[in-house]
Amino acid sequence: MIIIGAGNLGKHILDQLLQDKYTDEILFFDEQISDDFIYGTFRIIHDWKTFDELIKMDQKFIIAIGNSRKREKMFLKIKTGNYRSVISTHANFISTFCTIHTGTIIQPGCCISHNVIIGNSVILHANTLVGHDVTIGNFATIGSNVNILKGVNIGEYSTISPNVLIYPNIKIGRNVFIAPGAIVKTDIEDYKTLCD
């Protein structure tokens, strides 16, 4: 598995893979970090040529970039390969009757109910609860300890910070930012910020 991004999210995914007893080789790809290893053990690839060679050999990869737009940019840049989701075996519950698209990261403690649709390259941080009939758009980021009640629709690129409560049947537009601890009781239009 190649983890694209050797920052904090990449380290979380490394830890999650190890906790889940992942046995294949784990590498990182990051052009920005000068170190050659994470924790002295996990090699960091710095150049596209090496990355492309590994991808052509059907190497699995996950994009561990927290910023939604940068995550999408990387997603669009990689034309081939075995793009995977990383779903923790320590998630509390994931319904058989939900749809999780490619590249999604689901951390430990999450609960996902039935009839949920999660788009491409979505991040659900630890202990997030997703009620039934919820839709989460591509490249959205959901912080830890978020409670999304039934029937909510979250648009692409939106960021929901930790400890947010979203009331039932709320529509959150594209590229919305919701600050930590907010209680969302009304719909939010595209490109808006909710700070309380």
Side-chain angles (χ1 to χ4, degrees):
M1 173 80 74
I2 301 173
I3 301 171
I4 300 174
N8 288 322
L9 182 57
K11 290 173 184 171
H12 277 298
I13 291 172
L14 170 63
D15 206 12
Q16 187 170 317
L17 289 170
L18 295 174
Q19 295 272 334
D20 289 346
K21 306 204 180 333
Y22 186 82
T23 56
D24 290 346
E25 182 181 27
I26 300 171
L27 306 167
F28 285 84
F29 172 68
D30 198 313
E31 296 175 290
Q32 309 299 318
I33 291 179
S34 60
D35 294 338
D36 290 329
F37 291 92
I38 297 271
Y39 303 125
T41 304
F42 302 95
R43 184 166 66 106
I44 303 174
I45 301 162
H46 301 287
D47 64 282
W48 276 98
K49 183 176 181 225
T50 305
F51 177 79
D52 284 340
E53 287 169 2
L54 289 168
I55 291 301
K56 285 176 186 166
M57 296 188 306
D58 201 36
Q59 180 73 265
K60 299 175 198 150
F61 69 94
I62 183 75
I63 301 173
I65 298 172
N67 180 286
S68 297
R69 291 292 180 173
K70 289 180 181 176
R71 196 161 65 245
E72 180 193 41
K73 188 176 177 185
M74 184 63 73
F75 175 80
L76 295 173
K77 190 170 184 176
I78 301 169
K79 303 294 185 195
T80 184
N82 192 349
Y83 191 29
R84 302 302 292 262
S85 294
V86 174
I87 300 171
S88 175
T89 60
H90 295 93
N92 283 339
F93 176 80
I94 298 175
S95 172
T96 305
F97 306 104
C98 69
T99 303
I100 300 170
H101 289 281
T102 305
T104 290
I105 297 165
I106 299 176
Q107 292 189 338
C110 290
C111 290
I112 302 170
S113 190
H114 61 276
N115 297 335
V116 170
I117 299 172
I118 298 174
N120 290 312
S121 204
V122 170
I123 300 171
L124 272 73
H125 287 279
N127 302 316
T128 288
L129 307 177
V130 181
H132 63 84
D133 298 294
V134 166
T135 301
I136 302 174
N138 297 333
F139 306 103
T141 301
I142 313 297
S144 56
N145 300 307
V146 171
N147 195 344
I148 304 168
L149 300 180
K150 68 170 186 155
V152 169
N153 188 322
I154 298 171
E156 296 179 324
Y157 315 107
S158 288
T159 297
I160 315 298
S161 298
N163 302 310
V164 167
L165 170 62
I166 304 173
Y167 274 37
N169 304 312
I170 294 295
K171 184 171 192 237
I172 295 171
R174 301 173 82 244
N175 211 42
V176 166
F177 177 81
I178 299 176
I183 298 175
V184 184
K185 298 180 180 179
T186 58
D187 292 352
I188 303 174
E189 295 177 9
D190 295 350
Y191 304 99
K192 297 290 184 182
T193 295
L194 178 66
C195 291
D196 51 45

